[in-house]
Amino acid sequence: MNVTFILNGEDVACTAGALDRLSELLRDTFGMASVNTDCGSGRCGTCLVLMDGRPVNSCLVPAFRARDCEIITYEGFSRTDDYGRVQAAFDRHGVDLCPFCRPARYLAIGSAMDARSDSRGADLPSVLSSVLCTCSSPAAVLAAAMDALAGRQGPRYSRDH
Amino acid sequence: MTIDDVARPATVQEAVASLKRRPDAILWAGGTLLMSDPSCIPADRLVSIVDIGRLPELAGIHRTERYVEVGAAVTLASLLALPKPALLGPLAMAAAAVGTASVRNLATLGGTIACRNRFMSCFAALSCMDAAVELRDPRGVRWHGIHKLVGPGNRPAFPEASMLTRVRLPHLSWDAVVVRALGDPPYPHPDASTFAACARIEQGVLADLRVAVSGRILVRDRSLEMTLAGRRLPLSRREIGSFSSDMAASALALSIPPDISSRLEAYVSAFLDHPEEYAL
């Protein structure tokens, strides 16, 4: 089947099996190396992408479900101002995430910065725990994430842009 | 498996029409279970999928004085994002324990009910709440108590070629609520089970008590629950021991493994011993 969607702000199209995993599609067809395809069951969270603004496990999203959606991967997020804020917050707190979990964790925090998200503030720990990795102290990651969030108020895309 | 067709209806009526053409079609809302457990999708025949995840009619949440009505395709994350999720009592607690936040952005309430081969964790909570479900098929629309979905041997019996469209949750304020995984093996282990209990206390009296276990089978014994209704708190050792051992015996009789049954006995006992510790 033909699948068309918006990937990191660009219209893209591809041919895929209806139940092909979005994670594999992103990695193999579109070269999104940040999307891991490890567990395939929604446990590790390293395939996290933003789908219409919400963090989801792309290994649980079939290709047909991606049709007409807006998908943002770490590659796209790293071109936004919010990425710089998240990175600066982690630098301030001296937290160095491993390459395995950094993309997913940055995206999770990025989703909490989005005005459409339900995960601002109180639910941030829950969103961050979607990514399973023990490279850094959860308390330190949360502190950096809260710092990043505090540095940003209001919607990501204002009418002025 | 081979997918021969993905229908994308614009309305519930169109979805039901698709189901009439292909009664064996898989209704796909969140699809988290279907994607994580390939055995849920038949490997020996062509499979047709009806994508109902974006139907606006299935995405609404309506609140009246007597109940909350939730569309079957409402995600667990949306349920938990309601201004007062505590109103949903055990369901909110069960939903919060499903997967991770990113999984709950995909998983739907309907998906936790319509699983064909087991009762998912939210089912125990919905059983305690005496929820009702709206089912649609080519013959029409019907409301049923959720226990209509429990078949012989207390096994799942979701009707074939039917579509779950809404779930009605009665407004009941609970004073004590608990939802816990029973035992160590998490889903998808076949013995993974969930224990849910809730109680209403009025002037020191146990006014209402509900206890359920969901897993391969559903355990709920309304007559046993009634034996404690109206008793003054704190319950005596004998009352607690008798109730929890009878509950464990019911579970054992329904083929729940002995270690899970004995853990159920301990959990029920702890809940009845100090219900105030489980206040919402």
Side-chain angles (χ1 to χ4, degrees):
Chain A
M1 67 185 300
N2 287 323
V3 184
T4 57
F5 56 100
I6 302 169
L7 175 60
N8 296 329
E10 291 180 16
D11 291 324
V12 296
C14 67
T15 304
L19 293 188
D20 286 355
R21 294 177 191 275
L22 177 61
S23 54
E24 290 165 1
L25 209 59
L26 291 171
R27 192 174 175 89
D28 300 341
T29 307
F30 295 104
M32 298 292 140
S34 70
V35 181
N36 289 325
T37 54
D38 282 359
C39 74
S41 60
R43 289 179 197 280
C44 72
T46 56
C47 62
L48 204 84
V49 299
L50 303 186
M51 187 170 172
D52 293 333
R54 290 172 181 270
V56 300
N57 301 74
S58 58
C59 70
L60 297 180
V61 178
F64 77 84
R65 236 328 145 59
R67 281 187 297 190
D68 305 333
C69 287
E70 181 194 20
I71 307 290
I72 295 174
T73 67
Y74 176 74
E75 286 81 355
F77 180 64
S78 64
R79 296 196 295 262
T80 65
D81 292 342
D82 282 346
Y83 173 84
R85 290 188 186 95
V86 176
Q87 194 171 39
F90 275 78
D91 287 346
R92 277 196 298 278
H93 286 257
V95 181
D96 189 16
L97 298 175
C98 73
F100 180 71
C101 73
R102 185 188 301 120
R105 282 196 160 146
Y106 274 30
L107 268 178
I109 298 164
S111 75
M113 290 172 148
D114 194 319
R116 291 173 292 182
S117 172
D118 299 323
S119 53
R120 290 185 72 92
D123 287 341
L124 190 58
S126 160
V127 176
L128 283 172
S129 68
S130 296
V131 187
L132 203 62
C133 184
T134 55
C135 72
S136 305
S137 144
V141 173
L142 180 61
M146 295 295 281
D147 187 4
L149 213 61
R152 189 181 190 291
Q153 300 290 331
R156 180 184 296 169
Y157 305 108
S158 72
R159 286 176 183 276
D160 302 334
H161 288 260
Chain B
M1 76 202 70
T2 310
I3 308 297
D4 73 336
D5 177 38
V6 179
R8 200 175 179 185
T11 63
V12 167
Q13 270 187 328
E14 284 182 25
V16 172
S18 297
L19 210 50
K20 188 176 183 181
R21 281 193 300 276
R22 291 287 301 265
D24 59 346
I26 294 175
L27 294 170
W28 196 293
T32 50
L33 181 64
L34 294 161
M35 286 299 279
S36 58
D37 184 0
S39 69
C40 293
I41 301 174
D44 56 347
R45 62 174 169 84
L46 285 173
V47 176
S48 176
I49 290 173
V50 181
D51 180 4
I52 57 170
R54 294 179 195 169
L55 293 181
E57 294 152 277
L58 303 185
I61 299 176
H62 304 286
R63 184 177 293 174
T64 71
E65 281 187 11
R66 289 172 50 222
Y67 52 77
V68 181
E69 217 167 72
V70 183
V74 168
T75 64
L76 300 181
S78 299
L79 266 185
L80 293 169
L82 286 174
K84 291 181 182 174
L87 281 178
L88 300 176
L91 179 60
M93 208 174 271
V98 172
T100 61
S102 51
V103 171
R104 293 193 291 273
N105 277 334
L106 293 169
T108 62
L109 179 61
T112 67
I113 297 171
C115 179
R116 308 266 171 177
N117 55 7
R118 64 181 294 115
F119 295 108
M120 303 304 284
S121 53
C122 287
F123 206 98
L126 291 163
S127 171
C128 283
M129 297 172 82
D130 283 338
V133 290
E134 184 190 62
L135 299 178
R136 289 197 192 200
D137 63 20
R139 289 170 299 167
V141 185
R142 301 173 313 285
W143 278 97
H144 297 290
I146 195 154
H147 294 101
K148 175 85 174 173
L149 306 180
V150 183
N154 285 24
R155 294 188 180 282
F158 195 89
E160 295 294 326
S162 292
M163 179 176 168
L164 173 65
T165 44
R166 282 183 292 177
V167 183
R168 189 175 283 172
L169 308 163
H171 259 319
L172 288 172
S173 73
W174 298 104
D175 298 299
V177 173
V178 64
V179 176
R180 292 275 190 279
L182 263 184
D184 299 326
Y187 177 80
H189 192 284
D191 288 337
S193 305
T194 302
F195 157 72
C198 44
R200 199 155 47 82
I201 299 163
E202 288 176 1
Q203 296 179 332
V205 171
L206 189 59
D208 198 354
L209 170 69
R210 301 179 188 185
V211 182
V213 175
S214 62
R216 277 190 297 189
I217 53 150
L218 182 81
V219 184
R220 171 105 194 265
D221 189 337
R222 195 72 186 117
S223 56
L224 184 61
E225 292 165 5
M226 292 300 287
T227 62
L228 289 185
R231 298 289 173 91
R232 181 156 289 282
L233 295 173
L235 297 171
S236 69
R237 286 270 125 222
R238 192 174 59 79
E239 287 170 327
I240 293 172
S242 167
F243 183 93
S244 44
S245 62
D246 285 354
M247 192 76 202
S250 297
L252 202 57
L254 286 164
S255 77
I256 285 195
D259 58 323
I260 306 281
S261 299
S262 62
R263 198 170 290 210
L264 168 65
E265 185 173 356
Y267 281 22
V268 172
S269 182
F271 180 73
L272 294 177
D273 206 7
H274 294 289
E276 69 281 359
E277 289 183 6
Y278 299 91
L280 271 176

